[in-house]
Amino acid sequence: MRHFDDATPIYLQIAEEIRAQILCGELAEGARLISTTEYAARYRINPATANKAVALLVDEGLVVKRRGIGMFVADGALAGLRRSRRAAYADGVLHPALDAGFALGLSSAELRDAVVQYLNAHARKEPQ
């Protein structure tokens, strides 16, 4: 069973977990989500909490409801998530990391070399 942190509402944590599953390909576009009842049983939470998480994803356009069938990952969900997260990544992760490097006295060239070295050592298939 998953343990939730106390600082963030559970429904937001579940929604974020589903977003992460979409981003990593565990939930492909068109894939069926487990039911809110199954989420409730899996995490031992109130079904209304699970429903609130899925409703948030529906509002964001990441999940669609097919009456009588269930909830499914929407077409375009992956591209939409990547698009929205790229700016947040630059502002929240990359820029602070570069600022920390500058604060340590690293030059632009040293930071660039470190990035290139890292990318070469951890070469992965480029996302499409």
Side-chain angles (χ1 to χ4, degrees), residues 81-96:
L81 270 172
R82 282 184 173 164
R83 193 171 36 255
S84 67
R85 298 260 172 126
R86 283 182 178 161
Y89 169 78
D91 292 340
V93 176
L94 188 57
H95 297 162

Side-chain angles (χ1 to χ4, degrees), residues 114-125:
V115 169
V116 169
Q117 183 179 20
Y118 178 87
L119 292 174
N120 288 337
H122 298 85
R124 293 194 256 173
K125 182 180 175 189

Side-chain angles (χ1 to χ4, degrees), residues 31-69:
R32 185 182 179 277
L33 273 63
I34 63 174
S35 72
T36 54
T37 303
E38 290 171 295
Y39 277 114
R42 176 183 289 177
Y43 298 126
R44 297 184 184 160
I45 59 171
N46 187 311
T49 301
N51 192 49
K52 192 170 181 180
V54 174
L56 177 63
L57 297 172
V58 169
D59 290 346
E60 292 174 2
L62 300 175
V63 171
V64 293
K65 181 178 184 177
R66 295 185 186 150
R67 188 175 292 284
I69 301 174

